[in-house]
Amino acid sequence: MDVSARIEAVYAQIVHRNPGESEFHQAAREVLPTLAPVLGAHPEYLDARIVERLCEPERQLVFRVPWVDDDGEVRVNRGFRVEFNSALGPYKGGLRFHPSVNLGIVKFLGFEQIFKNALTGLAIGGGKGGADFDPKGRSDGEVMRFCQSFMTELYRHLGEHTDVPAGDIGVGGREIGYLFGQYKRITNRFEAGVLTGKPVGWGGSPARTEATGYGTVHFAQEMLRTRKKDLDGLTVVVSGSGNVALYAIEKVHALGGRVVACSDSCGHVVDPDGIDLALLKEIKEVRRERIDSYAAAKPGAVFSGRGSVFQVPCEVALPCATQNELTEQCAIALVKNGVLAVAEGANMPCTPAAIEIFREADVLFGPGKAANAGGVATSALEMQQNASRERWTFAQTEARLAAVMTEVHTLCRTTADRYDCSPDDYALGANAAGFVRVAEAMAAQGVV
């Protein structure tokens, strides 16, 4: 059986074993074909069934999360943790609390996390988790009780040398605090390295909050430099207005770019003068209001509840919200408006059709597993600080983050070139580089 036929057989097996999990199918479909040059050069990976083993999680946990709301009503949610691959280190990946969370989404995120974590060069494996719980509109007491119930089941599977969750959509410093408190209470251990994304005052890392957004912008800057450009003076559009988007906007402005539009689930706002980050943070983090409040407060800004933020003309687009938000139609609009580069701050925000349009138009495209690796890289740096009982400064951590993103960018380009592909093919470079690092470790550790 040739390499392409083997890949198709693996994909068919994934669909058969994981029915109805469309996001996981999509992630596998995007990755597997790009591994053909690697597998052709390394038939030993085929003999050892590395790809088949890599696509099957080492452990999948699904559990009930009962809790009591402020009215005394019993609620029941479903929790998940997929421990996908530990060849390079303990499972590492965030927890997502959102009504859309299901096993297929957690698997897609965990699968992507394997490659993303490998690209950082740090000793972390891949995993992901979450629950179909929505913290929006819930009181602190309700969120606390949910988190305590969630951790009461999950704690037995965690540990700084086993599985180290972090935050994701719906899981910020508040939720991490409640989760850690329950873990500490149950285990009677202050095991700081068991969760990352903690507040700085009790084991967190400076720059962790900013890391994913900052790292995405660093990656975009590195891509632009290959064409003798940089962000200074360029017009940028950012989707989302959560943590990743806010700090992507902050870093773009620091590098001289101008973000003219951002969004949330109710629509998008366009500000030709450039997004006022202080106002946006107040609306989203303090007042917890929708994006239309920005337009009401800022003269010259316009809110739209229709269309896409990616229809706004720009030279750089940073999708930082959620999966499959940048569609084929969005990509057509971006190309028509002269976009130069797209870097994914979210996980798999561009559909396969959109990515193909960027490729055909010679638009620089940074896939999420490379472009947004700054978040998990800084989580690993937080683990280092916890292990050594040290605390680095913000400047030290940001410098390490910038260095990691530069190394990831270089690795993607050199790997693509090594397998006789264009260095601009960041998707192939990222997938191949991450796969080789994991495959080598899996082969060395035997059939486990």
Side-chain angles (χ1 to χ4, degrees), residues 67-136:
W67 57 285
V68 180
D69 68 18
D70 287 343
D71 295 326
E73 295 289 332
V74 175
R75 304 280 184 169
V76 180
N77 286 96
R78 180 172 289 179
F80 306 90
R81 187 69 179 173
V82 174
E83 296 175 333
F84 226 114
N85 191 282
S86 60
L88 295 177
Y91 309 106
K92 188 81 191 76
L95 297 171
R96 175 176 294 190
F97 291 171
H98 192 272
S100 66
V101 170
N102 56 42
L103 188 58
I105 285 178
V106 174
K107 278 197 216 170
F108 127 61
L109 293 168
F111 185 68
E112 291 276 293
Q113 203 78 42
I114 300 170
F115 299 90
K116 181 188 303 185
N117 294 1
L119 282 172
T120 69
L122 302 169
I124 43 179
K128 204 75 177 184
D132 58 357
F133 169 75
D134 190 355
K136 284 185 179 178

Side-chain angles (χ1 to χ4, degrees), residues 25-255:
H25 301 166
Q26 180 183 338
R29 171 57 77 190
E30 289 184 16
V31 170
L32 294 181
T34 65
L35 302 180
V38 182
L39 297 172
H42 297 278
E44 66 272 19
Y45 295 157
L46 291 172
D47 295 338
R49 303 273 176 179
I50 295 293
V51 180
E52 289 89 336
R53 289 156 56 194
L54 186 68
C55 293
E56 185 66 26
E58 293 175 11
R59 189 175 295 108
Q60 301 178 58
L61 310 170
V62 183
F63 51 94
R64 182 180 65 202
V65 187
W67 57 285
V68 180
D69 68 18
D70 287 343
D71 295 326
E73 295 289 332
V74 175
R75 304 280 184 169
V76 180
N77 286 96
R78 180 172 289 179
F80 306 90
R81 187 69 179 173
V82 174
E83 296 175 333
F84 226 114
N85 191 282
S86 60
L88 295 177
Y91 309 106
K92 188 81 191 76
L95 297 171
R96 175 176 294 190
F97 291 171
H98 192 272
S100 66
V101 170
N102 56 42
L103 188 58
I105 285 178
V106 174
K107 278 197 216 170
F108 127 61
L109 293 168
F111 185 68
E112 291 276 293
Q113 203 78 42
I114 300 170
F115 299 90
K116 181 188 303 185
N117 294 1
L119 282 172
T120 69
L122 302 169
I124 43 179
K128 204 75 177 184
D132 58 357
F133 169 75
D134 190 355
K136 284 185 179 178
R138 293 293 178 184
S139 69
D140 288 349
E142 289 175 322
V143 172
M144 180 184 72
R145 291 190 290 276
F146 174 82
C147 289
Q148 289 173 341
S149 181
F150 183 88
M151 183 55 79
T152 297
E153 174 59 34
L154 188 61
Y155 86 94
R156 69 198 75 213
H157 302 287
L158 305 183
E160 60 186 358
H161 302 297
T162 305
D163 187 351
V164 183
D168 193 81
I169 294 172
V171 179
R174 174 183 63 172
E175 289 76 15
I176 292 293
Y178 293 148
L179 291 165
F180 182 81
Q182 185 73 351
Y183 180 88
K184 179 167 65 73
R185 183 182 189 184
I186 293 171
T187 63
N188 195 33
R189 295 194 303 270
F190 193 101
E191 192 177 329
V194 75
L195 287 166
T196 59
K198 302 180 294 295
V200 174
W202 49 276
S205 173
R208 175 60 189 91
T209 302
E210 297 85 354
T212 306
Y214 278 21
T216 301
V217 176
H218 280 302
F219 196 90
Q221 179 86 310
E222 291 296 323
M223 290 198 300
L224 288 166
R225 283 174 175 162
T226 66
R227 297 189 179 178
K228 303 188 184 307
K229 296 180 180 293
D230 60 35
L231 281 163
D232 189 20
L234 296 187
T235 301
V236 182
V237 160
V238 176
S239 69
S241 50
N243 175 269
V244 179
L246 289 173
Y247 291 103
I249 294 170
E250 184 170 282
K251 181 53 70 173
V252 168
H253 288 173
L255 294 175

Side-chain angles (χ1 to χ4, degrees), residues 372-396:
N372 69 42
V376 73
T378 307
S379 283
L381 300 180
E382 181 176 331
M383 292 167 65
Q384 288 184 20
Q385 293 170 75
N386 293 158
S388 61
R389 298 286 197 267
E390 293 179 341
R391 181 189 291 181
W392 302 346
T393 66
F394 187 99
Q396 285 176 300

Side-chain angles (χ1 to χ4, degrees), residues 398-421:
E398 188 182 7
R400 288 288 303 274
L401 168 65
V404 167
M405 296 311 298
T406 299
E407 290 166 7
V408 170
H409 176 266
T410 301
L411 179 62
C412 290
R413 291 185 67 83
T414 56
T415 303
D417 184 61
R418 181 179 307 127
Y419 292 103
D420 298 323
C421 296

